Amino acid sequence: MNFSFSDEQELLRKNTARFLEKNLKPYVRDIDAKGEIPAEFFRNAGENGIISPLIKQKYGGPSLSFMDSVIISEEIAKVDTSMATSVYYLLNTSWAYVLQKYGKQELKDKLLPEIASGNQFIGIASTEPSGGSDVANITTSGTVNNGKVIINGEKMYISGALEAKNNGGGHLTLVKTDKEKGHRGITMVYVPASAKGIEITKLENMGRMGISTAGIKYDNVEVPEENIIGEINEGFYYSMDGFNHARIMVAAACNGLSEKMLEEGLGYIKERKAFGKPLSDFQAISFEAADLKTEIEMASLLNYKAAYLADVDDPEFYIYSSMSKLKSPQIAMDTVKKVMMWFGAYGYTKDSGIEMSARGIFSYLVGAEGALNIMKMIIAKAILK
Ligand SMILES: Cc1cc2nc3c(=O)[nH]c(=O)nc-3n(C[C@H](O)[C@H](O)[C@H](O)COP(=O)(O)OP(=O)(O)OC[C@H]3O[C@@H](n4cnc5c(N)ncnc54)[C@H](O)[C@@H]3O)c2cc1C
């Protein structure tokens, strides 16, 4: 067992941090205030190979591993602590992975170079107004006819809908192609946001303001059959593969944020004085710091194990990615909350930036990339079988 990163991975971390310090850090507050990440950032990140790092070199990507992708995810979250850029990154990374693994050659040749270069976005459209956890019961329909798929229905809470519409891109969309067959009747189709018959309605979120979440209505939307990912009626399985990998990236982002928050908190409690001594001299506070450090370390190790298992294609990796997605958002929320309390009243101001992280991290507690109870269901089913 080797607990250290390779020299190449250390260099990747260093170069990513340096790139983000220059190209992202100065704009983070603006991104949160204006609700938009500048498209130029995506292209710059694409040029630096960190916008969708699993894409293979033959499609213009850097061919990095899941472990490498985790390193990038951690570094992004340390800089954009609102989580918006992390969300864009993890969707682009995980769903490009699914396209690359299961998509038809023509579609891959067309889209993957655009995604790798930061010109186009790719996300997932699974959730519907009636719910997100029960994927098998989606009702958006897909009719395959005459070389086309015709889509009717509605998706909800879809991340990156406006980015795809404005900058280019689309979503791997789950549609029912056989109503009688539950999860075995679901097909995954790539639907560009520019397709005729699509209506996008932005939702006002509480956090991660730089990436949109929207409802998407499909009124006889037609896409060519080549946009079907893999086989008809196999889409549920491809989506689970994607979610399992995306959860590793979510947890990595949460861990990166936790680490950054704790670092800021430690700096503060060593300086801030009460009753004539630094806050860190009070055990009530230093013990909290010790607990947080321990929990963040545990969360990171679990996440690295999940990424390692994904890299070696271990069929049990999904259990670890679910455990990681279960714990890391909770630890991040706890870290943000405790650090905010250490900062006292200043922590509650917008100026401190801590509330921005609290708003962002909540998305991973309520549901994005799978609700926490769903993670527990997956883990329980695996260990009880
Ligand atoms: C910011 C944000 C961005 C999102 N982006 C996307 C996206 O890009 N694409 C996409 O497809 N979806 C997206 N989603 C939706 C997300 O996938 C769903 O929120 C998630 O799947 C949960 O679905 P739901 O919100 O409908 O909650 P529900 O499925 O209605 O569940 C509500 C609550 O009940 C619990 N619950 C459900 N079933 C059970 C059970 N059997 N036992 C115990 N508890 C249960 C859940 O844990 C949850 O707490 C996003 C959500 C958010 C918040």
Side-chain angles (χ1 to χ4, degrees):
M1 194 169 278
N2 183 354
F3 277 104
S4 55
F5 289 111
S6 67
D7 289 347
E8 289 79 12
Q9 286 169 329
E10 294 292 1
L11 190 64
L12 173 70
R13 190 183 287 285
K14 210 168 125 194
N15 287 342
T16 303
R18 192 182 298 141
F19 169 82
L20 296 169
E21 179 78 18
K22 179 165 175 256
N23 294 284
L24 185 60
K25 196 173 175 188
Y27 311 107
V28 168
R29 290 305 185 89
D30 249 20
I31 289 172
D32 187 57
K34 293 186 182 152
E36 194 180 347
I37 304 167
E40 196 191 334
F41 169 78
F42 303 131
R43 284 192 290 273
N44 274 342
E47 269 172 34
N48 283 270
I50 59 165
I51 199 66
S52 190
L54 298 170
I55 295 181
K56 295 194 169 113
Q57 276 171 352
K58 64 177 171 181
Y59 300 116
S63 270
L64 296 183
S65 65
F66 284 103
M67 192 68 85
D68 299 331
S69 308
V70 157
I71 291 171
I72 298 169
S73 188
E74 288 176 345
E75 292 306 311
I76 292 175
K78 285 181 198 170
V79 174
D80 179 0
T81 51
S82 80
M83 303 302 277
T85 313
S86 297
V87 175
Y88 190 102
Y89 165 80
L90 78 91
L91 290 167
N92 233 20
T93 300
S94 314
W95 299 102
Y97 159 77
V98 169
L99 170 64
Q100 180 167 259
K101 189 168 173 186
Y102 303 107
K104 302 204 172 35
Q105 196 57 51
E106 211 180 325
L107 190 65
K108 294 198 285 191
D109 289 340
K110 191 165 85 181
L111 289 180
L112 288 172
E114 293 296 318
I115 298 166
S117 61
N119 284 325
Q120 292 210 13
F121 167 82
I122 187 164
I124 175 76
S126 163
T127 306
E128 300 193 346
S130 58
S133 303
D134 188 4
V135 178
N137 277 317
I138 59 161
T139 57
T140 296
S141 66
T143 311
V144 186
N145 197 359
N146 250 341
K148 288 177 184 150
V149 188
I150 297 149
I151 301 166
N152 281 290
E154 189 174 357
K155 297 288 178 185
M156 200 50 128
Y157 313 116
I158 305 306
S159 299
L162 285 180
E163 286 73 8
K165 187 178 168 204
N166 298 337
N167 306 338
H171 291 78
L172 298 180
T173 305
L174 296 186
V175 297
K176 259 281 157 74
T177 30
D178 189 335
K179 273 194 216 155
E180 312 303 320
K181 284 197 181 154
H183 72 281
R184 292 199 176 86
I186 292 175
T187 299
M188 181 182 268
V189 187
Y190 174 74
V191 183
S194 58
K196 201 165 157 247
I198 279 192
E199 187 189 325
I200 295 174
T201 309
K202 187 175 186 239
L203 302 166
E204 291 304 329
N205 280 332
M206 72 181 256
R208 34 167 274 182
M209 308 309 276
I211 181 161
S212 67
T213 311
I216 307 181
K217 283 190 181 148
Y218 306 81
D219 180 10
N220 282 317
V221 172
E222 277 186 20
V223 294
E225 225 175 4
E226 74 178 42
N227 286 22
I228 293 176
I229 305 299
E231 302 295 322
I232 291 176
N233 291 338
E234 293 288 316
F236 177 84
Y237 301 103
Y238 308 146
S239 74
M240 290 305 131
D241 195 11
F243 281 124
N244 287 329
H245 285 92
R247 284 167 191 155
I248 300 176
M249 301 301 147
V250 168
C254 293
N255 296 342
L257 175 72
S258 297
E259 220 181 286
K260 179 70 185 165
M261 279 289 130
L262 181 61
E263 183 193 311
E264 286 189 4
L266 292 178
Y268 188 81
I269 59 177
K270 283 193 268 181
E271 292 295 321
R272 177 76 174 183
K273 289 199 172 72
F275 300 96
K277 49 186 182 177
L279 291 176
S280 56
D281 279 10
F282 298 105
Q283 269 190 350
I285 290 191
S286 65
F287 276 20
E288 277 185 350
D291 275 339
L292 289 176
K293 176 71 186 160
T294 309
E295 278 164 15
I296 297 166
E297 188 68 20
M298 288 192 306
S300 299
L301 288 174
L302 178 58
N303 191 237
Y304 297 149
K305 178 162 181 179
Y308 165 78
L309 292 176
D311 274 327
V312 298
D313 221 3
D314 188 303
E316 301 230 308
F317 95 89
Y318 75 96
I319 309 171
Y320 292 85
S321 74
S322 303
M323 290 194 277
S324 216
K325 166 67 169 66
L326 173 64
K327 282 293 166 191
S328 291
Q330 297 187 71
I331 291 169
M333 194 70 220
D334 197 33
T335 308
V336 169
K337 181 180 136 194
K338 294 216 168 94
V339 170
M340 188 185 273
M341 287 161 74
W342 296 349
F343 272 66
Y346 178 53
Y348 192 64
T349 64
K350 283 204 179 281
D351 197 39
S352 76
I354 303 175
E355 58 81 42
M356 180 174 78
S357 301
R359 287 188 277 113
I361 213 70
F362 231 105
S363 68
Y364 289 125
L365 292 173
V366 301
E369 253 61 52
L372 298 190
N373 280 352
I374 303 306
M375 299 307 104
K376 290 184 188 175
M377 282 164 63
I378 294 169
I379 299 159
K381 191 173 169 196
I383 60 174
L384 290 168
K385 74 180 173 199

